[in-house]
Amino acid sequence: MMNLPRASAMLRLVICLVMVSMLNSHGMHTDWSTILSGSDPNGEHLLTRTERSFGGNKIEPPSRPNSYWDDPHYRPYFDNSTEKNVTAQLGKTAYLHCRIRQLGDRTVGAVSWVRQRDLHILTVGKYTYTSDQRFTSIHLENSEIWTLEIKYTLKKDAGVYECQVSTEPKMSLSISLNVVVSRAHIPEGPNLYIQSGSTINLTCIITESTSPPVFVFWFHDDRMINYDSSRGGIRVTTENGPTTVSRLRIQNARPTDSGNYSCQPSYADPANITVHVLNGEKPAAMQHGRSSIGAPLPNSIQFLSAIASCFFFTSIVSFVRR
């Protein structure tokens, strides 16, 4: 008769064989050495493995993007209302807007701004990629508009910029930036001759401006005279509009008022004029707005002078022949 310990061991062996047979009948093959060692043949620890399988389909980790944009019905596209030609004034801030439909919540690093002339990446998402900190990407949460902000625009900033979306293939929209330079002009120039004691009237006309200037300063040589209370008799008036006009009026002109006058608007090229205040010269020696010295005679006077000279010459010839 078998002793009790040996019978107990045999019973445990039979139970294990039955369990293995049941597992194999269900198609689940188990490597018991692997289970006992706590790792699989690929070297992964079973207790730390998080990938799961259901019906043979592997579930992707949540950090890996799906193929949502591969469906043509859900691909992003540029709105046709996007303005493709933008004009900014020199020195001011330019805004280039890019409206993207169906971008969804995949906005991190999805939109970039690239300067076309040198293919320089300016921004990626909201991050400024270039060292030129005048460039900034602006995007509000849940908004379809991505804006490239260019502060203190320079003439070299003019050109084409691309709004790019990181799809496959890549999408891009070209937007052209035009930088305009406002100009000032003084119609009384370049020289003005005026009698001492008279009133100096100068006009500055500012054109090619996208908006009125913030200020218009008048300078006499290197000194601003808009608020010159020591001289007295100086008045500056400015009329803002599509064409801004600034007027300088100086009463009781003196010889010390002679010199260079400049009109300097904000964000515009300045204009200059030279004023000559004459003391005691005859009015006939002056011509408003320019010097009369060496000025050509009117055509009618030249014609009469030529006829008189010709008549005088023929008279002398006739007298000599007699």
Side-chain angles (χ1 to χ4, degrees):
M1 184 175 179
M2 188 180 298
N3 59 19
L4 185 59
R6 182 174 297 179
S8 177
M10 291 294 294
L11 180 60
R12 288 196 297 269
L13 178 60
V14 171
I15 292 173
C16 289
L17 292 175
V18 171
M19 292 178 63
V20 170
S21 177
M22 292 176 62
L23 291 173
N24 290 335
S25 65
H26 286 80
M28 302 177 66
H29 303 281
T30 305
D31 187 349
W32 291 101
S33 61
T34 299
I35 294 176
L36 293 175
S37 65
S39 61
D40 65 8
N42 296 325
E44 296 185 13
H45 200 283
L46 294 176
L47 297 178
T48 61
R49 188 168 181 139
T50 58
E51 188 177 87
R52 296 177 294 170
S53 297
F54 293 94
N57 297 324
K58 185 169 66 175
I59 297 178
E60 302 288 352
S63 60
R64 188 181 303 170
N66 59 28
S67 56
Y68 177 79
W69 283 352
D70 292 340
D71 189 334
H73 296 91
Y74 296 101
R75 285 178 62 85
Y77 63 93
F78 296 108
D79 193 295
N80 291 331
S81 64
T82 300
E83 187 177 3
K84 299 179 179 63
N85 292 284
V86 178
T87 300
Q89 191 168 323
L90 180 71
K92 292 191 175 182
T93 302
Y95 296 96
L96 278 59
H97 303 291
C98 180
R99 183 185 291 272
I100 308 170
R101 302 286 190 180
Q102 294 190 171
L103 189 60
D105 58 352
R106 302 182 183 279
T107 59
V108 179
V111 180
S112 304
W113 283 96
V114 178
R115 187 169 53 207
Q116 193 180 83
R117 64 178 167 86
D118 55 3
L119 300 180
H120 188 69
I121 300 175
L122 302 174
T123 64
V124 177
K126 292 185 178 181
Y127 174 73
T128 299
Y129 198 77
T130 178
S131 59
D132 190 343
Q133 296 301 310
R134 296 182 303 119
F135 294 89
T136 307
S137 178
I138 301 175
H139 175 70
L140 302 179
E141 189 175 356
N142 300 323
S143 171
E144 296 178 329
I145 300 177
W146 290 80
T147 301
L148 177 65
E149 179 187 55
I150 308 176
K151 298 178 180 177
Y152 315 113
T153 51
L154 307 174
K155 292 181 180 179
K156 68 177 183 178
D157 292 329
V160 179
Y161 295 81
E162 289 187 5
C163 173
Q164 296 185 351
V165 182
S166 57
T167 55
E168 287 295 338
K170 190 181 297 295
M171 296 170 47
S172 65
L173 177 68
S174 297
I175 299 177
S176 179
L177 173 64
N178 180 36
V179 179
V180 297
V181 182
S182 297
R183 303 184 186 280
H185 171 64
I186 301 177
E188 293 86 0
N191 291 281
L192 175 64
Y193 294 85
I194 193 169
Q195 187 66 271
S196 177
S198 301
T199 300
I200 301 174
N201 288 293
L202 300 179
T203 306
C204 180
I205 302 174
I206 299 102
T207 58
E208 300 181 35
S209 176
T210 58
S211 60
V214 179
F215 58 81
V216 179
F217 290 150
W218 284 90
F219 285 81
H220 177 209
D221 293 329
D222 295 327
R223 183 170 56 89
M224 189 179 69
I225 59 175
N226 287 57
Y227 313 104
D228 190 354
S229 57
S230 60
R231 163 62 172 82
I234 298 177
R235 183 184 179 188
V236 175
T237 58
T238 302
E239 301 171 3
N240 289 322
T243 298
T244 299
V245 179
S246 181
R247 294 181 173 86
L248 171 66
R249 180 183 175 89
I250 303 176
Q251 296 178 339
N252 192 22
R254 312 164 187 170
T256 55
D257 293 326
S258 298
N260 179 70
Y261 286 78
S262 61
C263 165
Q264 300 186 15
S266 61
Y267 310 113
D269 288 343
N272 297 275
I273 184 174
T274 301
V275 175
H276 306 267
V277 179
L278 306 178
N279 191 11
E281 287 84 351
K282 296 180 180 180
M286 300 185 300
Q287 183 177 348
H288 181 72
R290 56 183 62 86
S291 173
S292 62
I293 301 175
L297 295 172
N299 292 336
S300 59
I301 298 178
Q302 288 180 340
F303 180 72
L304 293 175
S305 177
I307 293 177
S309 299
C310 181
F311 179 78
F312 178 75
F313 178 76
T314 54
S315 298
I316 293 177
V317 173
S318 299
F319 177 78
V320 169
R321 286 181 178 179
R322 291 177 185 177

